């Protein structure tokens, strides 16, 4: 199902729309949330919160605001950051950058995932370390151009194009054309 | 800027990542609507990052879906009407309906039974309430009597058995301060049907009886009874009289007599 078909179902108040929404995006959003929260149970809790928010506010989304996935990605990132703040984790967002999505694979202890993890690591290791950092900051953690430039000490003007190259590389590895 | 240059700028990645301003978002959306290449590029970028985040996510328990579903139903009822997640047997619905019907019938039966029980219990309760009320009243009377008996100012007059019943006895408790008189008929035989004991206050010279009470209670011997006060009484007598009592004592039926 494409995002457009899903949205059509949602707008029609189709009873199956929520299930479709969950099936399509829950795992991706969980990946984003876990990358920030670093605790499985708490991440599941935030994920629940996120889906409730999505469903409650779904009428306020319209396509002129951007992609639907982008909208729910923002909800997931913001909810995770809110959770970190409210729990008065001393970790500021900046401190979190020491870890990135690759570390999730290292810390993953569940057996089913270990099998996956090997395959995933294989393709992720094909990414340049700089790309891993860049994608981690911009996509997973929602850093601004300026913040990413400061963090990685790369010229502000090159953040967008460097990121573009990294995503192209990722697409090659995943064979997404 | 042509399409290729625009794509190469990296703006579309930022668009998908949600890092552009609202104005920039609208601009990208307009371009994408006009240009299929741009639209296709956006979809590919999106697909790549969805795959990436999907791949790095830890195992997500199946229970999570159910929890969210519960939250949506409980906290935001009416907002979402969700179908079962996995394809359910269509007969399940009918089975559920049948079970529900039987369930409702059973509940109705239970409810009827419960109503009956409640009614019975209510009847029982009101009986007990009446009983309690009457016991309370009795208790109050007994306490009053006891207070008189225990009062230091109370004199006890023993009434001795007379010819008709030598074994009989009775007691009169006389409290001049409170102007109260009680009689205890414990020593009198149970009166025959249609007869009652009548209590008399007597002045001796000349002998003048005054009725101060009729004890109609069948169990006259079981209690202490309050009778009318009589200030000048010098003696007390108890006679057996026809129900309702008599104007003057039937001396042949004088059971007990005692002087103050």
């Amino acid at each position: 199902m494409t995002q457009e078909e899903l949205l059509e179902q949602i707008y029609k108040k189709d009873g199956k729309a929520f299930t479709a929404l969950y099936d399509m995006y829950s795992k991706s959003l969980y990946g984003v949330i876990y990358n920030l929260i670093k605790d499985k149970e708490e991440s599941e809790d935030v994920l629940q919160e996120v889906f409730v928010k999505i469903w409650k506010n779904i009428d306020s989304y319209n396509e002129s605001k951007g992609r639907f996935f982008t909208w729910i990605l923002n909800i997931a990132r913001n909810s995770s950051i809110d959770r970190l703040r409210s729990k008065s984790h001393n970790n500021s967002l900046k401190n979190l950058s020491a870890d990135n999505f690759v570390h999730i694979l290292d810390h993953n202890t569940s057996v089913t995932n270990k099998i996956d993890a090997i395959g995933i690591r294989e393709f992720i290791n094909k990414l340049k370390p700089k790309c891993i950092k860049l994608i981690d900051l911009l996509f997973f953690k929602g850093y601004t151009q300026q913040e990413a430039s400061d963090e990685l000490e790369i010229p502000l003007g090159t953040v967008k194009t460097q990121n573009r190259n990294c995503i192209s590389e990722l697409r090659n590895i995943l064979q997404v054309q | 800027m042509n399409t290729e240059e625009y794509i190469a700028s990296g703006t579309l990645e930022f668009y998908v990542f949600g890092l552009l301003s609202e104005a920039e978002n609208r601009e990208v959306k307009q371009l994408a609507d006009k240009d299929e290449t741009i639209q296709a590029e956006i979809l590919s970028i999106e697909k790549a990052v969805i795959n990436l985040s999907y791949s790095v996510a830890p195992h997500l328990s199946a229970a999570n879906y159910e929890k969210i579903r519960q939250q949506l139903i409980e906290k935001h009822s009416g907002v979402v009407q969700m179908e079962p997640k996995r394809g359910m047997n269509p007969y399940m619905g009918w089975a559920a309906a049948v079970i529900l019907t039987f369930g409702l019938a059973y509940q109705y039966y239970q409810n009827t039974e419960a109503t009956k029980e409640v009614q019975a219990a209510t009847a029982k309760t009101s009986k007990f309430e009446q009983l309690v009320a009457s016991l309370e009243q009795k208790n109050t009377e007994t306490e009053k009597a006891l207070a008189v008996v225990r009062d230091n100012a109370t004199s006890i007059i023993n009434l001795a058995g007379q010819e008709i019943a030598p074994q009989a006895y009775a007691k009169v408790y006389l409290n001049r301060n409170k102007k109260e008189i009680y009689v205890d008929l414990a020593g009198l035989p149970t009166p025959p049907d249609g007869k009652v004991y009548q209590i008399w206050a007597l002045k001796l010279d000349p002998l003048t009886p005054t009725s101060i009470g009729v004890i109609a209670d069948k169990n006259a011997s079981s209690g202490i009874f309050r009778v009318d006060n009589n200030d000048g009484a010098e003696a007390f007598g108890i006679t057996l009289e026809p129900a309702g009592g008599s104007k003057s004592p039937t001396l042949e039926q004088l059971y007990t007599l005692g002087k103050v």
Side-chain angles (χ1 to χ4, degrees):
Chain A
M1 193 190 292
T2 66
Q3 177 189 295
E4 284 69 26
E5 287 164 346
L6 173 68
L7 284 174
E8 219 169 280
Q9 266 196 10
I10 290 172
Y11 293 146
K12 273 195 278 178
K13 299 277 172 199
D14 190 312
K16 287 172 189 152
F18 182 82
T19 308
L21 171 74
Y22 186 84
D23 282 347
M24 277 175 78
Y25 297 117
S26 58
K27 192 119 192 261
S28 293
L29 294 185
Y30 189 49
V32 171
I33 294 165
Y34 184 79
N35 193 33
L36 285 158
I37 301 272
K38 314 269 189 242
D39 176 274
K40 278 189 195 176
E41 266 182 43
E42 183 128 33
S43 296
E44 286 202 8
D45 205 49
V46 173
L47 184 68
Q48 287 166 27
E49 197 183 300
V50 166
F51 268 91
V52 170
K53 274 187 198 166
I54 292 171
W55 200 252
K56 249 176 90 181
N57 299 306
I58 208 142
D59 289 335
S60 75
Y61 167 75
N62 70 68
E63 286 175 52
S64 71
K65 287 183 181 171
R67 297 286 297 165
F68 180 68
F69 173 73
T70 306
W71 184 67
I72 63 175
L73 170 68
N74 265 323
I75 293 176
R77 284 194 300 225
N78 291 339
S79 300
S80 305
I81 291 164
D82 283 351
R83 177 66 64 102
L84 290 175
R85 287 199 185 120
S86 75
K87 296 216 88 183
S88 60
H89 280 261
N90 291 326
N91 324 358
S92 71
L93 192 53
K94 292 277 149 70
N95 290 339
L96 285 172
S97 64
D99 275 335
N100 59 51
F101 60 90
V102 175
H103 291 87
I104 297 176
L105 301 172
D106 297 333
H107 292 124
N108 215 326
T109 51
S110 101
V111 181
T112 47
N113 259 282
K114 253 185 187 157
I115 300 159
D116 289 349
I118 296 163
I120 296 159
R121 185 163 324 165
E122 240 169 62
F123 83 70
I124 284 176
N125 282 343
K126 289 181 189 164
L127 280 171
K128 290 175 193 144
K130 187 193 72 187
C131 279
I132 289 171
K133 281 181 189 163
L134 205 50
I135 293 171
D136 187 62
L137 294 184
L138 294 171
F139 171 69
F140 282 92
K141 297 192 171 100
Y143 272 45
T144 64
Q145 224 176 148
Q146 182 68 57
E147 286 167 336
S149 155
D150 293 345
E151 179 76 24
L152 302 178
E153 294 171 347
I154 55 175
L156 181 64
T158 67
V159 174
K160 268 164 99 176
T161 48
Q162 283 200 42
N163 179 58
R164 159 81 192 164
N165 294 336
C166 291
I167 292 296
S168 297
E169 217 178 287
L170 176 70
R171 282 164 62 184
N172 280 333
I173 296 163
L174 294 172
Q175 296 175 332
V176 176
Q177 292 314 315
Chain B
M1 201 190 284
N2 64 29
T3 301
E4 255 176 55
E5 285 169 348
Y6 189 71
I7 288 172
S9 73
T11 302
L12 297 182
E13 278 80 4
F14 269 47
Y15 176 68
V16 171
F17 291 10
L19 304 175
L20 297 183
S21 69
E22 271 187 42
E24 288 170 314
N25 275 337
R26 270 196 297 276
E27 192 191 304
V28 173
K29 171 75 174 136
Q30 278 169 8
L31 287 169
D33 284 345
K34 278 186 271 177
D35 193 329
E36 275 184 26
T37 321
I38 290 177
Q39 180 64 25
E41 186 69 12
I42 289 169
L43 290 181
S44 294
I45 294 163
E46 185 179 282
K47 202 172 168 192
V49 289
I50 287 176
N51 273 341
L52 177 67
S53 52
Y54 182 97
S55 306
V56 300
H59 176 71
L60 181 57
S61 76
N64 198 64
Y65 170 84
E66 200 49 43
K67 280 183 196 161
I68 296 172
R69 198 175 152 263
Q70 283 304 320
Q71 279 193 34
L72 285 172
I73 290 168
E74 281 164 22
K75 294 184 191 163
H76 315 282
S77 51
V79 178
V80 59
Q81 194 194 357
M82 277 177 286
E83 298 274 304
K85 185 168 161 62
R86 301 290 170 226
M88 233 209 248
N89 185 329
Y91 294 108
M92 288 292 280
W94 290 107
V98 169
I99 290 165
L100 182 68
T101 307
F102 279 109
L104 284 176
Y106 181 66
Q107 291 246 318
Y108 177 77
Y109 168 75
Q110 291 257 303
N111 188 38
T112 313
E113 289 299 296
T115 310
K116 280 184 196 162
E117 273 172 32
V118 167
Q119 282 168 351
T122 310
K124 242 185 200 170
T125 307
S126 78
K127 263 187 196 166
F128 277 122
E129 275 171 359
Q130 283 172 14
L131 184 62
V132 167
S134 88
L135 285 175
E136 272 174 356
Q137 200 191 340
K138 243 185 191 166
N139 191 36
T140 314
E141 285 167 9
T142 309
E143 275 176 2
K144 268 190 195 166
L146 188 63
V148 171
V149 170
R150 298 180 68 191
D151 195 321
N152 203 25
T154 299
S155 37
I156 303 167
I157 300 122
N158 286 306
L159 309 188
Q162 302 300 302
E163 272 175 47
I164 190 168
Q167 305 300 317
Y169 67 90
K171 283 177 181 172
V172 169
Y173 299 93
L174 176 65
N175 191 313
R176 299 265 192 220
N177 295 348
K178 291 181 181 166
K179 297 183 185 290
E180 283 176 353
I181 302 172
Y182 284 81
V183 291
D184 182 351
L185 308 184
L188 291 177
T190 305
D193 282 348
K195 299 279 184 177
V196 294
Y197 288 114
Q198 193 163 7
I199 323 298
W200 306 91
L202 306 170
K203 284 192 175 156
L204 296 177
D205 198 17
L207 186 65
T208 319
T210 309
S211 174
I212 54 171
V214 173
I215 310 301
D217 198 320
K218 270 247 170 200
N219 305 310
S221 60
S222 69
I224 295 178
F225 301 88
R226 185 176 181 180
V227 290
D228 296 342
N229 184 45
N230 187 289
D231 281 339
E234 294 165 313
F236 293 93
I238 299 174
T239 57
L240 192 70
E241 304 287 345
S246 305
K247 278 193 173 174
S248 56
T250 311
L251 290 175
E252 296 77 27
Q253 296 290 326
L254 180 66
Y255 271 67
T256 58
L257 187 65
K259 275 172 78 177
V260 176

